[in-house]
Amino acid sequence: MSLLLKNGQVCYNDELQNLDILIEDNKIKKIDKNIPDGPHEVKDCAGLTIFPGFIDTHVHFREPGHPKKETLESGSRAAVMGGITGIFEMPNTSPITNNADALNDKLSRAKDNMHCNYAFYFGATNENSDKLDFLKGFDGCCGVKMFVGSSTGDLLVKDDFYIEQVIKNSPRIVSIHSEDEDMLMSRKSTIEEGNVKSHYKWRSVDCAVSSTKKLIELSNKYKKNIHILHITTKDEVDYVRDKKPTHTTLETTPQHLSLYAPDIYDQLDTFAQINPPIRTKEHSDGIWKGVEDNLISIIGSDHSPHTIEEKKQPYPKSPSGMPGTQTIGLIMTDYFLKGKINLKKLVELLCINPCKIFGIKNRGALEVGHIADLTIYKLNQKFTIKDEWIESNCGWTPFNGAKIDVSPSGTIIGGKIVVWNQELILKSSGKPYSFN
């Protein structure tokens, strides 16, 4: 099977160039000007911009356990409709993914059911902290996820001894939800019923910073790679800038770059409630500085859907989390168009760095020989993000009503057209990622 993409604007060698792309089987065969038509399926991409496939390294698809919130099918459908070609899914499902059987169960559920490529995290616990060796070379597993502060679900490793064990023993990168659990528990008196603005005061800056400092020290001690998820404070960014740790990478999210307290809580109330929380603008500005200074390597959505009915409950009964996999690529591309990041940075954050940091094979850039995962947008075309457009089972987005200058158009996965003209063309074409 071959596919020829003609007349597109292609993100190639850090530039947007007018080039054609020839795909044979599932790989990029040629990138050049005026590739002649042949016995190929031909798609005219005039007016379209073709990027390497965007990867969302942080989603919660809620299967097994909570299909009303999300399933692997619905979550991956949302992803591809927003141009995302692959995801890393988190282990705090019900039951949790903390043993080989549970991990294999997720891989089995995903096969012939997910629209995008995928990998699953293995959940760290006290009990398995010294039994992680089997994950070495486990295809379809992107790494170990450790919650050192409590969030949604039952996964938690809060004691220093076990936190150290996980980092020391994991054969794969350890991605971490970094909040100090003892501090969270001691500060519960700051929670005000009915006042969601008390959420970011309870889950304070110090809760995040003290945890992140400790994790970086352990990473340095054992020379083991850790990836700290959803950075929310300028203080964490400044600490990394000062200490320059060699085994730590950082992620942030579009919501922590785009939204800030107290305004967003006035606008969205409990729908703005996430862990770690959205903080004041000085922290959003500090995180942006971390992106600009290459201290933050990856943008992940932390897609964490809950139903509208659940989110409408009064704080603190309302659950923390918001959807994001369908909007992450568009929002970050809009920041490129607005001059907040350059083209090279956009591709690093959503393509190159996820592949480099986690060791995904043969992806991340448009290169001959690479697997043909492509994100296709219309740039400089007005698009309004609306709840009605969201494919997630939760049916809402914190960016409802946001007007951006980029429109979703197509998603190609493994050389196959999955989405075209904002329509799902080919279902269930995702495959598990292979890792170095």
Side-chain angles (χ1 to χ4, degrees):
M1 175 190 158
S2 60
L3 173 65
L4 179 59
L5 304 177
K6 296 280 290 182
N7 309 315
Q9 181 177 240
V10 177
C11 177
Y12 188 62
N13 291 337
D14 300 329
E15 295 180 331
L16 294 178
Q17 304 182 45
N18 294 320
L19 296 167
D20 300 342
I21 301 176
L22 177 63
I23 299 165
E24 286 192 358
D25 296 322
N26 67 339
K27 292 181 179 175
I28 297 172
K29 176 78 171 178
K30 190 175 185 180
I31 303 173
D32 207 346
K33 290 181 180 291
N34 303 314
I35 298 175
D37 294 357
H40 324 294
E41 179 183 358
V42 178
K43 281 289 186 184
D44 184 2
C45 297
L48 302 178
T49 301
I50 303 170
F51 296 95
F54 290 172
I55 299 170
D56 185 355
T57 55
H58 190 159
V59 306
H60 301 260
F61 281 174
R62 309 300 192 201
E63 183 180 348
H66 300 283
K68 285 186 178 180
K69 300 175 194 276
E70 201 72 284
T71 64
L72 295 176
E73 187 281 325
S74 66
S76 63
R77 176 165 24 98
V80 296
M81 291 301 288
I84 299 302
T85 62
I87 58 88
F88 294 175
E89 205 271 340
M90 293 294 172
N92 55 330
T93 43
S94 182
I96 56 180
T97 315
N98 65 343
N99 57 63
D101 287 345
L103 189 55
N104 281 316
D105 175 63
K106 275 197 177 172
L107 287 164
S108 175
R109 289 168 179 268
K111 187 178 180 183
D112 301 325
N113 187 37
M114 290 185 68
H115 306 294
C116 63
N117 298 320
Y118 53 86
F120 297 102
Y121 272 106
F122 184 82
T125 64
N126 292 355
E127 291 74 24
N128 67 27
S129 60
D130 60 349
K131 303 178 181 70
L132 301 171
D133 246 10
F134 79 98
L135 295 172
K136 197 180 296 181
F138 200 119
D139 269 354
C141 175
C142 45
V144 172
K145 169 68 180 289
M146 179 164 58
F147 289 84
V148 300
S150 53
S151 189
T152 302
D154 300 323
L155 274 173
L156 181 64
V157 181
K158 74 179 186 69
D159 298 327
D160 287 356
F161 172 79
Y162 291 109
I163 292 170
E164 186 166 351
Q165 284 285 100
V166 171
I167 293 172
K168 174 185 173 183
N169 292 322
S170 177
R172 308 287 288 271
I173 192 167
V174 182
S175 294
I176 306 170
H177 178 121
S178 177
E179 291 180 286
D180 187 293
E181 180 67 9
D182 289 337
M183 291 178 72
L184 288 177
M185 292 301 103
S186 69
R187 293 180 51 78
K188 275 200 163 184
S189 60
T190 63
I191 294 172
E192 300 173 32
E193 290 200 14
N195 179 15
V196 71
K197 289 179 187 174
S198 67
H199 188 65
Y200 69 94
K201 294 170 183 173
W202 165 41
R203 303 183 87 104
S204 68
V205 170
D206 286 346
C207 287
V209 174
S210 67
S211 172
T212 294
K213 287 180 178 179
K214 176 172 65 180
L215 293 167
I216 289 173
E217 288 170 6
L218 289 172
S219 170
N220 289 341
K221 177 179 178 179
Y222 291 105
K223 296 180 169 53
K224 299 294 286 284
N225 292 340
I226 65 170
H227 183 61
I228 299 180
L229 301 165
H230 40 43
I231 289 289
T232 65
T233 75
K234 69 180 288 293
D235 306 64
E236 290 165 286
V237 173
D238 291 344
Y239 182 80
V240 168
R241 182 183 288 108
D242 181 50
K243 297 296 183 183
K244 298 179 176 58
T246 53
H247 296 280
T248 300
T249 51
L250 306 181
E251 168 209 281
T252 195
T253 74
Q255 52 268 32
H256 290 107
L257 291 171
S258 307
L259 314 174
Y260 52 85
D263 303 39
I264 194 60
Y265 296 98
D266 290 329
Q267 295 165 29
L268 298 183
D269 195 51
T270 49
F271 286 80
Q273 178 190 333
I274 56 177
N275 299 334
I278 294 168
R279 306 189 191 277
T280 55
K281 193 169 188 301
E282 67 171 320
H283 292 290
S284 174
D285 291 343
I287 297 166
W288 266 116
K289 192 73 171 64
V291 171
E292 292 163 10
D293 294 344
N294 298 316
L295 301 171
I296 288 174
S297 302
I298 289 176
I299 306 292
S301 73
D302 192 12
H303 175 86
S304 306
H306 299 284
T307 66
I308 290 171
E309 292 72 27
E310 289 170 322
K311 290 295 283 185
K312 280 183 174 177
Q313 294 177 95
Y315 183 79
K317 289 182 179 177
S318 46
S320 292
M322 57 175 61
T325 197
Q326 195 167 335
T327 53
I328 179 176
L330 295 166
I331 287 168
M332 296 311 299
T333 303
D334 192 55
Y335 279 131
F336 154 63
L337 293 172
K338 287 178 167 54
K340 286 287 286 183
I341 52 175
N342 60 30
L343 182 67
K344 184 172 185 284
K345 175 80 69 179
L346 173 68
V347 173
E348 283 174 347
L349 292 168
L350 290 175
C351 312
I352 292 171
N353 290 346
C355 293
K356 184 166 80 173
I357 290 167
F358 287 88
I360 300 175
K361 297 177 183 176
N362 301 320
R363 288 178 166 95
L366 295 184
E367 292 181 11
V368 171
H370 273 205
I371 293 170
D373 293 344
L374 309 174
T375 295
I376 304 175
Y377 290 156
K378 289 183 182 178
L379 302 190
N380 301 304
Q381 171 153 320
K382 301 291 184 187
F383 183 77
T384 302
I385 296 171
K386 295 180 180 178
D387 287 344
E388 298 77 30
W389 173 69
I390 295 298
E391 294 286 331
S392 167
N393 283 353
C394 73
W396 65 276
T397 168
F399 297 103
N400 181 48
K403 294 177 175 17
I404 55 177
D405 291 324
V406 53
S407 173
S409 186
T411 309
I412 292 176
I413 297 175
K416 297 177 181 177
I417 297 171
V418 175
V419 173
W420 199 257
N421 289 331
Q422 299 187 39
E423 289 187 24
L424 186 65
I425 302 296
L426 183 67
K427 298 181 177 181
S428 309
S429 58
K431 298 286 187 287
Y433 282 123
S434 294
F435 297 88
N436 295 329

